[in-house]
Amino acid sequence: PRTVDVGAIERLDRDGCIERWWQVLGVAPPKYTSLELMRKVIAYEVQVKAFGGHSNAVQRALKASLKPVRSEVEADSSADANADTNFDAR
């Protein structure tokens, strides 16, 4: 059976996390990413590669749950853009 040593990931220092991030994700971590978040992302990605990710049904449910949030964010950003360019309202 496949195994993942999450404990080894938890023991990585910042430089170790950056190196492992590169190995697992193929890109550098964002500049100000915390050590705790790097460890969690690395552990998650390693487990997905070892055991597989979410089922198709779970992926569809997650996408469906984000639709209302995305619509709200798009509406807010559209309103912000209009507010920034509507100088005649003053």
Side-chain angles (χ1 to χ4, degrees):
R2 291 176 268 188
T3 62
V4 173
D5 187 359
V6 177
I9 295 168
E10 288 297 317
R11 291 186 295 274
L12 291 173
D13 63 6
R14 184 163 201 79
D15 289 338
C17 277
I18 292 170
E19 181 178 332
R20 190 75 168 119
W21 186 291
W22 268 104
Q23 292 170 352
V24 173
L25 297 163
V27 296
K31 188 173 184 177
Y32 297 106
T33 305
S34 71
L35 184 57
E36 181 179 354
L37 181 59
M38 281 196 284
R39 288 174 176 155
K40 287 179 181 185
V41 170
I42 293 165
Y44 174 80
E45 291 296 328
V46 168
Q47 291 176 77
V48 166
K49 287 179 182 180
F51 307 115
H54 296 301
S55 69
N56 290 338
V58 170
Q59 288 180 12
R60 282 191 302 273
L62 289 169
K63 284 181 184 178
S65 71
L66 288 177
K67 284 183 182 178
V69 174
R70 285 187 180 146
S71 297
E72 187 176 316
V73 168
E74 289 169 0
D76 287 348
S77 64
S78 177
D80 289 345
N82 289 338
D84 289 343
T85 58
N86 190 0
F87 296 110
D88 295 334
R90 294 182 192 167

